[in-house]
Amino acid sequence: MIEKALHGGKGYWAWIIFLAAGIGIGLFAYLYQLKEGLWLTGMSRNVSWGFYISQFTFLVGVAASVLIVVLPLYLHDFKAFAPITALAQFLTVGTLIMSLLFIFSDVGMPMRILNVPLNPTPGSMLFYDTLFLPGFMLLNLVIGWTAVGAEKRHTTLPPWVKFLIYVSLPWAVIMHTVTAFIYAGTPGRGFWMTAIMAPRFLTTAFAAGCAILIILSLVLRSLARFDAGEKAIRKLTTIMFYTLIINAFFLAVEYFTAFYSHVPAYSETFRYLFFGIDGNTAFVPWFWVMNLAILGAIALLAFPAVRNNHLRLSEACIVALVGLWIDKGFLLVPAAFIPNVFGRVMEYPPSWVELTVSFGIYCLGMLMITALYKVTMAIKGETLYPDK
Amino acid sequence: MTISRRKFLKTVSASCLAVTAHSAVGHGFELPGRMSPGPQELKARRWGMVVDMRRCDGRCTEDCIGVCHEIHNVPYIPKAEHQVMWLFQEPYENTFPDRSHELISKHLKNRIFLLLCNHCDDPPCVRACPTQATFKRENDGIVMIDYHRCIGCRFCMAACPYGSRSFNFRDPRPYIKTIHPEFPTRRKGVVEKCNFCQERLEVGKMPACVETCKKGALVFGDLEDPSSEIRRILAETPHVRRKPQLGTRPSVFYIF
């Protein structure tokens, strides 16, 4: 089936070459970082985790969001999701590859990464992530690939794949919960130490997953004449709408606890994010844009005119994604280090090397997703238009 | 020429046996990588330290810091954000940020405190580490790092509420004035911190900072031994630990 990714028009190959070039540039930056050390990044002894770990966190969320498609389809027999299931699963494969590469880029001794499985440490939350991420990637690759293959041969899914699907449902929730536990179990970082971290992670994951799937479905509609089905898009929109509202509620609850309690350990980072401290305001505009984008997306999606118009809908999805990405993919990780453990405000700007490596990793993930989608589209095309 | 399978296996196993036997004899049947401490080793069930700020005026702390960093090959990185620090200084307000307020007494305001790894009884860094590269020694409570196992993920730095851990953001070796071959240098990409001079305790010496301090401001001893000097001081003098509310139970105590 993979040979189908090798046939495409000019636009397809231009996109592939663009991604390959991006990977090349990212790899070059990574080799530079590998040789020189992490001083090339914006990270410091004050803010010791930054852009890489943020991307990892955001992308694990997108990967876990496959649940919102697979669960209604297989537990509630919501057939409208059938056409987009493979898309969701391959999106998960791509985002997990990226997540793993972001961890890999962040560690100081990448050649020792196998020390994690070689010295299993059940007490460490990072250990669970290194187990659950590759496992979930394989699960989704196998399930997605077999499903597309079954579609090609006009057969039904073999029972062992159904079993894997049921395994993957709780797996998604556990995987993202342990990601949240990396942060929520850390004493001395009051911004992270909140029981609502895991629920909020799942909520933002599902919202972001819906937004990306809607955008991808609409892009594929214009590029590959792929019809996700109006019912599926509507359902995704509904899930996104409510998860965005739940997330806004969770955020409001966090703000209340921090500001009404006046406990400095919990409120200082929020004070920095909302207003800045002693003239340090680097994250403040980002934080306000994040809040406004989440609220803006909710407001937009409240209008039937937006929900029912594909162009308007995709715009609302982009607004939501901007908010969700700033929250989890940019601020959540480094902000917890501000102020630092000595009560000093030391800010964090990502460096160009960091951003270039990250761009390369995103290109690689998108290349994988593009190839897998191309195969899926080709097979769906053959099934739909057998004469062509 | 053909070699039968039987003959091949015979030759191979015989040579393996010879090599193993040779190395076993050569090393006196010791497990590789194990080093036993000398007979004069200082022992304790839980090492701890008192920093008596009545005796430390912060003027000569450069001496204890200097000696510590010198014998442990701690690099001097000019850029503050990437510094490596085993023993370091902070003003009162930053050492105890949760105790600082606008009416602190004169003798605490702007006082320079000596900081080091707290060798917590319940260390969050050890919990966080995904490879057990950082671990707490069961026999004496020292929190150590295996520099050969550390993958440099910096989860321990996020977990440590005391800023005691430093990451080698760049190759430290060019930044070491004179390399002391008795102690290993580190490489870029690993985390390091104070080890309570575990290598000195093994040969019967007190930690370097304790030995250097001529004013007796640093008292080192066994927290589990009721008859030890450190226990006597703790019993007689009011003292504090950094961020006790986090439940880490530091083994370093401060007397103002």
Side-chain angles (χ1 to χ4, degrees):
Chain A
M1 292 194 314
I2 192 72
E3 75 284 352
K4 302 219 183 290
L6 300 174
H7 301 283
K10 267 190 193 144
Y12 176 71
W13 285 110
W15 172 240
I16 296 287
I17 288 167
F18 167 77
L19 292 177
I23 296 169
I25 295 167
L27 185 68
F28 182 75
Y30 177 71
L31 291 174
Y32 180 39
Q33 176 195 298
L34 188 67
K35 180 172 161 282
E36 280 292 320
L38 286 167
W39 67 274
L40 292 174
T41 68
M43 290 183 275
S44 63
R45 50 176 301 122
N46 304 300
V47 181
S48 49
W49 272 349
F51 202 74
Y52 294 146
I53 294 294
S54 303
Q55 302 321 300
F56 150 78
T57 311
F58 179 75
L59 291 167
V60 177
V62 177
S65 73
V66 68
L67 188 76
I68 52 171
V69 172
V70 176
L71 190 137
L73 178 63
Y74 289 100
L75 284 194
H76 301 275
D77 204 26
F78 184 72
K79 292 239 164 42
F81 274 164
I84 58 167
T85 310
L87 299 186
Q89 280 159 343
F90 291 152
L91 177 67
T92 296
V93 174
T95 47
L96 284 178
I97 293 247
M98 290 189 260
S99 301
L100 289 167
L101 284 174
F102 274 112
I103 294 193
F104 195 76
S105 307
D106 184 73
V107 300
M109 294 291 291
M111 54 294 269
R112 289 186 190 164
I113 201 84
L114 287 177
N115 276 359
V116 182
L118 287 174
N119 304 286
T121 312
S124 172
M125 291 302 129
L126 212 54
F127 164 70
Y128 289 101
D129 264 293
T130 52
L131 279 188
F132 284 121
L133 262 63
F136 200 57
M137 190 183 75
L138 279 179
L139 264 181
N140 279 282
L141 188 61
V142 169
I143 297 170
W145 197 256
T146 334
V148 172
E151 195 169 336
K152 187 184 181 200
R153 289 186 299 274
H154 301 280
T155 53
T156 50
L157 275 181
W160 62 270
V161 174
K162 288 232 167 102
F163 172 75
L164 290 184
I165 288 167
Y166 291 122
V167 170
S168 82
L169 295 176
W171 195 303
V173 177
I174 295 169
M175 178 180 73
H176 207 35
T177 303
V178 293
T179 312
F181 282 176
I182 291 179
Y183 308 106
T186 309
R189 313 278 175 193
F191 180 62
W192 286 343
M193 233 187 69
T194 162
I196 214 162
M197 192 64 94
R200 206 163 85 74
F201 263 42
L202 289 168
T203 318
T204 50
F206 297 156
C210 288
I212 293 175
L213 274 178
I214 292 172
I215 293 172
L216 285 175
S217 302
L218 296 178
V219 166
L220 289 174
R221 181 191 295 261
S222 64
L223 289 182
R225 288 180 304 153
F226 162 74
D227 189 14
E230 205 52 40
K231 214 176 160 193
I233 303 256
R234 271 166 197 270
K235 189 56 111 187
L236 286 175
T237 310
T238 310
I239 298 174
M240 174 168 66
F241 184 57
Y242 286 105
T243 45
L244 280 172
I245 291 174
I246 295 170
N247 177 45
F249 173 69
F250 283 172
L251 277 173
V253 169
E254 283 271 54
Y255 301 160
F256 171 82
T257 314
F259 286 119
Y260 196 82
S261 71
H262 288 222
V263 176
Y266 299 104
S267 59
E268 280 300 270
T269 298
F270 284 110
R271 194 159 72 85
Y272 167 69
L273 289 172
F274 267 105
F275 316 109
I277 296 178
D278 302 333
N280 297 294
T281 53
F283 281 176
V284 176
W286 291 92
F287 184 71
W288 282 98
V289 169
M290 183 273 269
N291 283 292
L292 292 175
I294 302 268
L295 293 177
I298 294 172
L300 285 174
L301 290 168
F303 292 102
V306 174
R307 292 199 303 266
N308 298 333
N309 177 318
H310 284 170
L311 188 65
R312 296 276 162 280
L313 177 61
S314 50
E315 283 165 7
C317 286
I318 289 170
V319 173
L321 270 179
V322 166
L324 295 164
W325 180 82
I326 295 178
D327 173 20
K328 216 164 156 187
F330 188 55
L331 293 181
L332 187 121
V333 173
F337 297 92
I338 308 171
N340 69 9
V341 291
F342 302 107
R344 286 202 189 87
V345 177
M346 305 295 235
E347 299 190 290
Y348 162 78
S351 75
W352 279 108
V353 174
E354 240 169 322
L355 295 176
T356 314
V357 172
S358 305
F359 174 69
I361 295 175
Y362 270 104
C363 284
L364 193 137
M366 282 194 280
L367 183 73
M368 286 224 37
I369 294 168
T370 306
L372 289 167
Y373 277 20
K374 183 78 186 170
V375 172
T376 315
M377 289 303 120
I379 284 164
K380 281 189 193 294
E382 277 175 14
T383 329
L384 289 175
Y385 318 104
D387 303 333
K388 286 193 181 170
Chain B
M1 180 180 119
T2 50
I3 303 175
S4 76
R5 186 182 143 99
R6 190 182 162 82
K7 197 174 166 197
F8 172 76
L9 287 175
K10 239 168 143 180
T11 323
V12 168
S13 45
S15 7
C16 282
L17 196 68
V19 170
T20 320
H22 177 259
S23 46
V25 170
H27 294 92
F29 285 105
E30 270 177 9
L31 288 169
R34 288 278 161 94
M35 203 197 86
S36 41
Q40 67 278 53
E41 184 198 13
L42 297 179
K43 284 184 181 153
R45 270 182 293 164
R46 183 182 163 204
W47 286 115
M49 190 185 278
V50 163
V51 181
D52 190 343
M53 291 306 291
R54 297 170 306 180
R55 291 163 187 248
C56 173
D57 55 10
R59 287 207 194 103
C60 56
T61 37
E62 283 303 331
D63 294 342
C64 53
I65 294 172
V67 169
C68 166
H69 284 190
E70 195 186 323
I71 66 163
H72 292 120
N73 293 320
V74 177
Y76 175 74
I77 311 275
K79 210 174 171 198
E81 302 94 273
H82 299 146
Q83 252 170 26
V84 179
M85 308 188 297
W86 284 34
L87 200 55
F88 53 106
Q89 295 173 308
E90 286 288 348
Y92 175 81
E93 297 92 305
N94 304 101
T95 309
F96 301 97
D98 36 3
R99 290 173 153 261
S100 106
H101 55 93
E102 59 279 18
L103 304 172
I104 328 168
S105 70
K106 273 199 302 233
H107 86 283
L108 285 180
K109 199 160 178 66
N110 302 325
R111 278 295 295 283
I112 300 293
F113 279 64
L114 192 65
L115 283 82
L116 64 158
C117 170
N118 279 309
H119 295 277
C120 301
D121 197 25
D122 189 2
C125 54
V126 169
R127 249 189 339 262
C129 181
T131 63
Q132 296 154 50
T134 193
F135 57 96
K136 190 183 130 194
R137 292 214 296 199
E138 280 311 315
N139 55 329
D140 60 5
I142 297 183
V143 176
M144 305 244 292
I145 302 175
D146 182 343
Y147 306 121
H148 299 281
R149 190 186 277 193
C150 172
I151 60 167
C153 70
R154 307 187 298 295
F155 195 4
C156 57
M157 291 177 79
C160 175
Y162 303 106
S164 301
R165 294 178 158 260
S166 307
F167 179 71
N168 284 287
F169 281 94
R170 57 193 312 160
D171 182 12
R173 283 159 199 150
Y175 298 91
I176 305 172
K177 228 187 275 166
T178 22
I179 290 181
H180 287 249
E182 314 83 71
F183 198 81
T185 55
R186 276 74 63 195
R187 50 157 301 151
K188 74 164 189 287
V190 299
V191 171
E192 60 179 83
K193 65 166 195 73
C194 158
N195 65 346
F196 256 0
C197 278
Q198 156 269 333
E199 83 285 358
R200 287 170 61 88
L201 295 171
E202 277 181 356
V203 293
K205 291 184 192 162
M206 286 301 251
C209 54
V210 177
E211 204 178 88
T212 313
C213 182
K214 294 287 175 279
K215 295 183 174 155
L218 303 177
V219 181
F220 189 73
D222 188 355
L223 295 172
E224 298 272 321
D225 175 10
S227 63
S228 65
E229 166 81 351
I230 192 167
R231 280 288 294 268
R232 187 187 61 77
I233 294 174
L234 290 176
E236 287 172 3
T237 330
H239 54 262
V240 294
R241 294 190 281 189
R242 291 172 68 202
K243 303 187 181 176
Q245 71 276 18
L246 299 178
T248 58
R249 298 194 297 276
S251 300
V252 175
F253 299 78
Y254 291 87
I255 297 174
F256 301 157

